Amino acid sequence: MKEWTEKAIERAENVVYLVVAAILLLIAAVVLVEAARTFTRLGSADVSDVAAQVLDLLLLVFIVVELLFAVRTTLSRRELVAEPFILVGIIASLKEIVVLSVKAPDLLGTPEFADMIWLIGILTATIIILSVSGFLLRRKEREPSEAARSGNVEAVDRDGDGPLDEGDEERQERRAAAGRAGASPTG
């Protein structure tokens, strides 16, 4: 593609990302206002119901903020980063578990209760799978070759003494050479 075409497409992408970010900010603001309005009903309604509704709304705000972070990261790094979406999945699953837990006492003894317990179990399994995925993703990014490609300097610092130094660079070169040769890297 020609350079001017690529720049035009990049600008269009940026505009779309900025519009998405603005919409996410508006959603977060609206949900925060609704959470505050719901909180004001604390004295006139059942405390546990109001608290569950406020918690549900605040968890929705966390989801929106994580999506906003994903958009910001995509704009700054020019790559799609999986970690914010993993966090969104975890928070969304937790949010649904909270909502279902509040409804549980009303459904006790009905056939829907068993379905709800299954759903809570599936959501819990989803949280575990997403947590393990996030852990493995972070672990993978700590590998020097991955960290160097992603620009994550802290992950490349193998001796943990701050910015990169000669020892870090030597170890990275040995690992890269061993990786090309098919041997297991040392250091």
Side-chain angles (χ1 to χ4, degrees):
M1 242 189 280
K2 294 186 178 186
E3 186 177 325
W4 68 269
T5 308
E6 287 184 24
K7 285 186 179 186
I9 291 172
E10 184 177 334
R11 285 189 184 115
E13 282 179 6
N14 287 344
V15 168
V16 169
Y17 283 128
L18 289 172
V19 169
V20 169
I23 291 170
L24 288 171
L25 280 171
L26 285 172
I27 291 170
V30 168
V31 174
L32 278 172
V33 167
E34 182 60 27
R37 287 182 43 210
T38 303
F39 189 74
T40 60
R41 294 193 327 241
L42 197 56
S44 63
D46 183 33
V47 174
S48 62
D49 286 341
V50 173
Q53 289 173 356
V54 170
L55 184 59
D56 184 42
L57 290 169
L58 292 178
L59 287 171
L60 183 58
V61 171
F62 279 128
I63 291 170
V64 172
V65 169
E66 280 302 318
L67 289 172
L68 190 59
F69 174 74
V71 170
R72 187 172 56 95
T73 303
T74 301
L75 274 171
S76 66
R77 290 190 186 177
R78 305 304 301 170
E79 65 182 23
L80 192 59
V81 181
E83 191 172 353
F85 296 103
I86 290 173
L87 286 173
V88 165
I90 291 171
I91 295 169
S93 297
L94 285 170
K95 177 183 173 302
E96 194 61 29
I97 288 173
V98 168
V99 169
L100 291 172
S101 298
V102 170
K103 293 178 182 177
D106 297 335
L107 298 176
L108 193 59
T110 66
E112 291 86 16
F113 183 77
D115 293 339
M116 187 181 58
I117 295 300
W118 272 104
L119 184 55
I120 288 175
I122 291 169
L123 289 168
T124 302
T126 301
I127 291 169
I128 292 168
I129 290 168
L130 288 172
S131 298
V132 169
S133 298
F135 171 76
L136 292 174
L137 184 65
R138 280 187 176 219
R139 188 171 169 196
K140 181 181 179 226
E141 284 187 356
R142 287 190 185 133
E143 290 297 318
S145 61
E146 283 292 317
R149 279 197 299 266
S150 70
N152 188 351
V153 175
E154 293 84 19
V156 181
D157 178 28
R158 302 305 283 173
D159 57 12
D161 64 351
L164 292 179
D165 55 26
E166 290 179 21
D168 294 322
E169 292 172 9
E170 290 170 11
R171 277 189 282 288
Q172 288 172 12
E173 289 172 16
R174 281 198 312 266
R175 289 174 83 79
R180 285 190 298 271
S184 71
T186 58

